[in-house]
Amino acid sequence: MKILVLNGPNLNLLGTREPEIYGFETLADIETEMKTAFPDVEIDFRQSNSEADLMTWIGEARGKFDGIVINPAAFTHTSLGLCDALKAVADAVPAVEIHLSNTHKREEIRHKSLTAPACIGQIMGFQGFGYTLALRALVHHLER
Ligand code: DQA
């Protein structure tokens, strides 16, 4: 099974970025945690601050990956383009949305996700551990 893990803007700063909200784990720590928890899953782990990169990677996923775990970060709340990209491949490459923080406990602007309707489901509020939970949920969905 091949899974694409996508991370949006500013997630490259994890570890030092508002650790009281996002935790002290770096993105590299999270990648290692996922790969350790699922040694049989081929994980391609990427981050970009560019919405265009993320849309391109999603658009190229058909035929290459079985599923996507995505933290669209701030683009969650703004990007109809990412929503459309996820919908365009959803029949072949289903996605699970992950957030480190519980966005519903935060500012109102973070309560709405434009990307969630294009995903099977959402995991949030468990900091870095949520990524492994999201992958667990995706593997379960794909093995049904
Ligand atoms: C985030 C939540 C977003 O609101 C924020 O813009 C992020 C990170 C999270 O993982 O909690 O960059 O997606």
Side-chain angles (χ1 to χ4, degrees):
M1 188 181 293
K2 291 177 84 170
I3 303 297
L4 179 62
V5 182
L6 294 180
N7 293 282
N10 303 310
L11 294 174
N12 53 314
L13 303 177
L14 285 185
T16 54
R17 176 191 178 199
E18 300 183 274
E20 66 288 359
I21 296 174
Y22 298 117
F24 287 95
E25 272 185 295
T26 65
L27 214 49
D29 293 335
I30 292 170
E31 180 177 359
T32 301
E33 208 172 293
M34 290 178 94
K35 289 181 174 170
T36 304
F38 288 87
D40 297 334
V41 175
E42 211 176 305
I43 296 172
D44 189 332
F45 196 96
R46 305 181 194 176
Q47 188 275 333
S48 178
N49 290 329
S50 152
E51 192 177 2
D53 283 347
L54 296 165
M55 285 188 290
T56 301
W57 291 337
I58 294 166
E60 291 171 350
R62 182 184 294 274
K64 290 191 192 155
F65 294 97
D66 299 299
I68 297 173
V69 171
I70 183 166
N71 184 346
F75 295 148
T76 306
H77 318 297
T78 60
S79 181
L80 202 53
L82 273 182
C83 174
D84 285 348
L86 289 165
K87 279 189 177 163
V89 301
D91 59 316
V93 203
V96 173
E97 182 167 307
I98 154 79
H99 296 286
L100 297 140
S101 63
N102 178 352
T103 59
H104 296 293
K105 283 171 79 175
R106 302 181 62 197
E107 310 95 297
E108 204 177 335
I109 197 165
R110 296 184 202 274
H111 296 181
K112 170 99 180 142
S113 169
L114 295 189
T115 43
C119 297
I120 314 162
Q122 226 182 13
I123 305 275
M124 62 164 69
F126 301 99
Q127 296 187 339
F129 181 55
Y131 279 74
T132 299
L133 294 175
L135 183 54
R136 179 79 196 91
L138 183 56
V139 168
H140 175 76
H141 175 84
L142 292 169
E143 286 179 344
R144 278 173 318 157

